[in-house]
Amino acid sequence: MNESLLSEELFRRSFIIATVIGILSRGLVLRVVDKQYPSRPEDYIEQIIMSGLAASLGAIAFPALLDKEFAALTFFAVAIQQFQGIANQERTALRNIDQSLIVPKGAAYIEEICTTYESRSYISLATALAASITYIRVYKVYDVGYITAGFIAVIPSIIIGLLFRKYLVRKSIGDIANIVPAQISFDDCILRVNGVYMQNIGLEDTRKRYLEDGVAVEVKTKSLGNFGIINDDGQRQAMINNIFIHMGIDKDVDEKDILAIAKTDLDKNSVVMVYIPLIKDMDEIIRVIKSTPIIESAKGKQSAYRKQY
Amino acid sequence: MDKIFFIGIITGLISRLIMLNTEQKQYPTQPNVLLTQMVLAFVASSLGSLLVPALIDRSYTSITFLSLAAEQFRQVRSSRREALHNLEEVQLVKRGDDFIEEIARTYEVRNYMCIMVSCLTVGMFRVLTSEFNINEGVAQIIGGASGLALAFYMRKLLSRKSIGEIADVVPVEISFVDECIMKVGDLQGVTNVGLESDRKLYLEKGLAIEIIPKDNSYENAGILYDMGQRQTIIYNIYSRLGIYRQNDEPAFYPLPRRNPKKQSIMIAYIPIEKDINKLIEAVKSTPILATAKGKNISLSKYKINS
């Protein structure tokens, strides 16, 4: 294409630089994902491929626009459909796996993971777009060398990447709540934690196990405005699943009387949980609960109390 | 067309072929599936090789076919999932959802791998010739070599470990206490077998094993504990050794149960032929599911006390 406004070299270099930057910026947030729920090599490859796709779309958009190839811009629509496709696929997979988990993730947590998959692809797209625009503009307007222009192109991408990251990093339960050990007691056969009714435990043996190996905690928000978050059922299930992932549970499939449940202490506005981990390590359990991400669907519940307190 | 285009397709196909070996070992491949996989691999590799020349010609719309390809491969995953789900109804021992997800995901990822390998091959060639002015012959060789290097690296990255690497498998005894309660090794109360004749069959023909996590590590125990992984183990035993069971005899359905004392898994099983070595081999060769990993991650400082 000789009538193009961009020389072949400029196009090639801007494309390569922008794509690489786009993929690297996905790497920036991948680490956060890893901390919060374990990823695997297959996932990494899929994510890298997807970020490569997103980044190349971002990198090609500006040159296409300069060449007045407007039809090519429809690929943005295709891309968005792609990213939604990923979220969908992930949702199906996670739901299927959730059925055989002893302590399931729950629908809310799964939705959270899926939306994250989707939104993180946009980071690559945005940073690659920023890099390619900067590169081409800087090169054309200021007439600097290729390498200098490459370095300058990195700057806006880093800014955008960091903005996304700051905006998307989830807060965790530790930011809004204190976790204190609670008291397990039996009222004949009624299991209570801090006096809150949990469940009826019939077997004498199981009651003994609860008293000996069980742990109970109370999650208290720092303000009433945040109580809605931990009062959300999906959020509670996410906390329990997080304990399970980190600490295991001393239970097999057919032991129905070993529970991993959370109930609300409606008088004190807190959430109490009872759990039998493989190893009774209170400090670790408190740390694990604190590290649970706050899921988006739990936010904004009971928001009327937020201003008063 | 350039020679490099064909080199790209070939490296892409090779990357798929070298993965096929492991696959055949771990679950039997059927000729029809094999054929469709090779065709898909060919499509994926040619897309990967086409990408770079298309971009150089500034055919901007051509990047959409990458998206189309990704869509395709996700479709492959869905259709594998559906096919295996439908088969579940007619299996004497089920694969389980986790194993199905694992297989379906593998199909998808391996196609991506072809794209990456062939795209790298051609891309490397282009970069070398245009940016560094290296002559074509040398660039073709370097491009092909880098594609193959990536293929082998991916193979190493993606190859699944098997149960044998994280656990020891030892034979144990089946016995019955209180007349009808099955005891496997030192784990009492696996299940309740009511009929005298069924109990006799278990004692005569049954085999039992204990899968003990290596290094007394809770992380290894977490993998074995996962329900999907346990189902995969019994499915693998079933696919190798068969099961001495009619489709309406629930008493002989294998139940892998956890032994809380050692965090090990106990399985009582009646194969067609009583051969403990074959059974141990089948358990050891079971692939570890990606979804089973990453449990008990806070317990790495503790050891299972025996």
Side-chain angles (χ1 to χ4, degrees), chain B residues 21-285:
Chain B
N21 266 333
T22 20
E23 201 173 301
Q24 232 154 6
K25 202 186 80 192
Q26 289 172 337
Y27 42 91
T29 315
Q30 300 98 349
N32 284 320
V33 179
L34 185 73
L35 181 69
T36 50
Q37 285 311 302
M38 286 322 289
V39 171
L40 274 173
F42 176 75
V43 172
S45 328
S46 45
L47 282 177
S49 324
L50 263 179
L51 186 66
V52 179
L55 275 176
I56 287 181
D57 281 354
R58 305 279 185 90
S59 80
Y60 295 120
T61 34
S62 60
I63 199 132
T64 42
F65 60 49
L66 251 200
S67 330
L68 211 66
E71 179 80 49
Q72 278 300 318
F73 300 142
R74 268 210 306 280
Q75 199 60 46
V76 172
R77 180 172 171 182
S78 303
S79 77
R80 278 321 288 170
R81 180 191 288 138
E82 203 179 323
L84 292 171
H85 259 297
N86 289 342
L87 283 177
E88 285 285 80
E89 288 169 24
V90 292
Q91 305 263 29
L92 277 179
V93 173
K94 295 191 189 324
R95 278 196 175 87
D97 276 331
D98 297 57
F99 195 21
I100 290 178
E101 285 302 330
E102 173 86 11
I103 296 171
R105 181 193 293 270
T106 310
Y107 273 101
E108 184 190 6
V109 168
R110 286 184 184 172
N111 282 313
Y112 289 141
M113 195 183 65
C114 292
I115 296 192
M116 277 169 92
V117 168
S118 58
C119 184
L120 178 79
T121 308
V122 180
M124 185 67 103
F125 169 81
R126 290 286 168 177
V127 169
L128 287 176
T129 47
S130 57
E131 298 280 334
F132 299 99
N133 292 320
I134 291 172
N135 82 27
E136 290 211 349
V138 179
Q140 276 165 2
I141 293 171
I142 299 179
S146 57
L148 286 181
L150 180 68
F152 280 98
Y153 174 70
M154 297 274 255
R155 182 188 170 181
K156 207 176 148 228
L157 190 72
L158 286 179
S159 63
R160 277 174 289 218
K161 287 165 97 183
S162 48
I163 293 291
E165 287 168 62
I166 59 138
D168 296 315
V169 183
V170 292
V172 287
E173 285 296 312
I174 303 175
S175 55
F176 286 93
V177 288
D178 293 339
E179 202 172 332
C180 59
I181 303 294
M182 186 197 277
K183 186 178 176 189
V184 179
D186 55 356
L187 177 67
Q188 196 175 320
V190 173
T191 186
N192 181 335
V193 181
L195 285 176
E196 173 82 59
S197 55
D198 289 354
R199 291 198 290 268
K200 229 176 95 189
L201 198 79
Y202 259 116
L203 294 174
E204 268 173 22
K205 291 196 156 233
L207 288 171
I209 44 152
E210 179 172 15
I211 311 170
I212 308 166
K214 274 188 182 164
D215 310 326
N216 284 334
S217 141
Y218 272 107
E219 278 167 63
N220 289 344
I223 295 175
L224 296 175
Y225 177 72
D226 186 76
M227 284 313 292
Q229 184 65 60
R230 287 192 230 174
Q231 190 65 35
T232 310
I233 293 174
I234 56 172
Y235 177 77
N236 207 45
I237 300 175
Y238 162 67
S239 80
R240 300 285 168 87
L241 306 182
I243 187 164
Y244 194 85
R245 161 181 185 248
Q246 300 286 0
N247 54 14
D248 53 357
E249 288 179 315
F252 302 132
Y253 198 87
L255 297 169
R257 286 290 176 266
R258 179 185 74 124
N259 182 352
K261 283 172 217 145
K262 288 193 246 172
Q263 304 299 336
S264 57
I265 299 293
M266 308 296 224
I267 304 174
Y269 193 91
I270 314 185
I272 298 290
E273 196 185 336
K274 193 172 177 178
D275 183 342
I276 189 75
N277 291 325
K278 282 206 179 91
L279 180 65
I280 291 175
E281 195 39 53
V283 173
K284 280 189 170 172
S285 71

Side-chain angles (χ1 to χ4, degrees), chain A residues 148-164:
Chain A
T148 327
F151 278 116
I152 295 172
V154 172
I155 299 167
S157 323
I158 289 182
I159 295 171
I160 290 187
L162 287 179
L163 273 179
F164 259 104

Side-chain angles (χ1 to χ4, degrees), chain A residues 4 43 100 245 251-252 281, chain B residues 98 105 225 258 296 302:
Chain A
S4 170
D43 276 354
S100 62
I245 294 284
K251 162 189 183 174
D252 207 350
D281 181 341
Chain B
D98 297 57
R105 181 193 293 270
Y225 177 72
R258 179 185 74 124
N296 299 350
Y302 295 101

